[in-house]
Amino acid sequence: MAADCIFCKIVAGEIPCFKVFEDEDTLAFMDINPVHPGHVLVIPREHYPNVFEVSDEAIAATARTARRVARAVRATLQPDGMNLLQCNGEAAAQSVLHFHMHVLPRAMNDRAALNWPLKPGNMDEIQSLSKRIARAVE
Ligand code: 5GP
Ligand code: ZN
């Protein structure tokens, strides 16, 4: 448990949440600032700040729970679509530094800020970056 981490406090039961699912490794609860009704957060019980530090086991468990919850949200609300989303760093809109996935129901043309228009890129640049990134995969 990390000091001053709001999600660790939720795991510990020190702060209340609207729980929808829990297992040995993960917890899923309602986001209290929902983009749409049915917005759920899924977290590993263990504290990791972001995707770069989360363990293989914890990210796998979180993804499994997120899909399970996504199915339940779909069955309950039948949204037009759904994003499973995860943020790292301030520029990527991460505000809580405990690894988490959003299960985010979407409505057609809802203009949620994470939508971007499709604009063809420069293929030379894309290819050259693909090579640099591929070399960096460990
Ligand atoms: P991030 O921007 O870091 O990806 O998402 C953090 C999310 O946690 C936000 O959507 C925010 O609404 C949610 N959140 C922050 N504090 C609390 C809290 O105390 N309880 C719950 N249930 N959600 C929280
Ligand atoms: Zn934490």
Side-chain angles (χ1 to χ4, degrees), residues 1-130:
M1 172 161 174
D4 294 331
C5 171
I6 197 139
F7 288 177
C8 281
K9 290 192 171 118
I10 287 176
V11 169
E14 291 169 18
I15 289 180
C17 72
F18 298 106
K19 192 186 299 177
V20 297
F21 177 79
E22 66 180 323
D23 62 14
E24 205 179 314
D25 304 310
T26 65
L27 179 64
F29 53 95
M30 305 306 287
D31 195 307
I32 51 168
N33 306 292
V35 176
H36 284 293
H39 184 168
V40 179
L41 298 170
V42 183
I43 65 173
R45 287 182 185 278
E46 271 188 278
H47 179 90
Y48 300 96
N50 54 41
V51 76
F52 305 110
E53 303 196 31
V54 66
S55 70
D56 286 355
E57 294 74 20
I59 194 172
T62 304
R64 269 196 300 273
T65 296
R67 183 170 69 165
R68 214 164 158 181
V69 168
R71 286 177 169 148
V73 171
R74 185 175 63 163
T76 306
L77 293 165
Q78 293 91 40
D80 297 332
M82 213 179 294
N83 289 113
L84 268 60
L85 179 70
Q86 193 276 317
C87 309
N88 305 281
E90 195 182 343
Q94 183 181 19
S95 59
V96 177
L97 301 182
H98 181 127
F99 179 81
H100 55 277
M101 288 182 74
H102 295 259
V103 174
L104 181 56
R106 298 292 305 276
M108 199 62 84
N109 303 318
D110 64 11
R111 295 175 181 271
L114 54 92
N115 281 16
W116 55 86
L118 293 183
K119 223 173 64 194
N122 176 317
M123 291 307 143
D124 291 339
E125 199 177 305
I126 292 170
Q127 185 184 40
S128 110
L129 270 176
S130 78

